[in-house]
Amino acid sequence: MKPYLCKLNLQPHEDEFGFMYQRQNCLYVKSIEPDSAADSCGIKKGDIILELNGLDTIYLSTNQIREIIEKGRQDRKLEMLVIDIDGYRYARYQRH
């Protein structure tokens, strides 16, 4: 239920991190490719992406998100702070 930092590193044979994302009210993982960098890190379908390379995704445009991921592909590494949907809902809606 707590956020966790995933440090994705592309292997020499990989060109993609192995996840698809979608933005609605938040940025979430739409799908995971088996045996990919994202899968190896433990990212699951439905996880919420809170940060990309230390930048809060709430404040990023769709173009900025694409650019960060593309730069990550070029650099062969990407950091993602993710949380599962239950943790996200708890943190967002259980404020006192």
Side-chain angles (χ1 to χ4, degrees):
M1 233 201 310
K2 293 181 181 180
Y4 59 99
L5 183 63
C6 295
K7 295 183 178 186
L8 305 178
N9 293 298
L10 292 177
Q11 299 301 314
H13 65 278
E14 294 177 312
D15 293 324
E16 301 285 340
F17 293 108
F19 71 94
M20 298 292 292
Y21 63 89
Q22 186 166 343
R23 175 171 236 146
Q24 287 185 331
N25 294 331
C26 57
L27 189 65
Y28 73 94
V29 177
K30 186 175 176 181
S31 64
I32 293 287
E33 185 177 318
D35 301 319
S36 65
D39 186 36
S40 297
C41 193
I43 298 171
K44 304 282 186 235
K45 178 180 177 181
D47 282 353
I48 307 300
I49 304 168
L50 301 171
E51 294 180 0
L52 289 170
N53 288 343
L55 300 173
D56 190 332
T57 58
I58 288 176
Y59 302 109
L60 297 174
S61 70
T62 303
N63 285 337
Q64 289 172 313
I65 290 166
R66 243 184 262 125
E67 289 171 6
I68 291 168
I69 294 171
E70 179 56 34
K71 176 146 179 25
R73 285 182 59 224
Q74 292 171 8
D75 295 343
R76 310 208 45 85
K77 61 184 178 179
L78 179 69
E79 288 189 1
M80 295 173 51
L81 183 67
V82 299
I83 190 170
D84 66 28
I85 188 67
D86 292 331
Y88 179 77
R89 287 181 181 145
Y90 179 81
R92 183 166 181 170
Y93 299 112
Q94 297 299 321
R95 296 181 190 152
H96 296 288

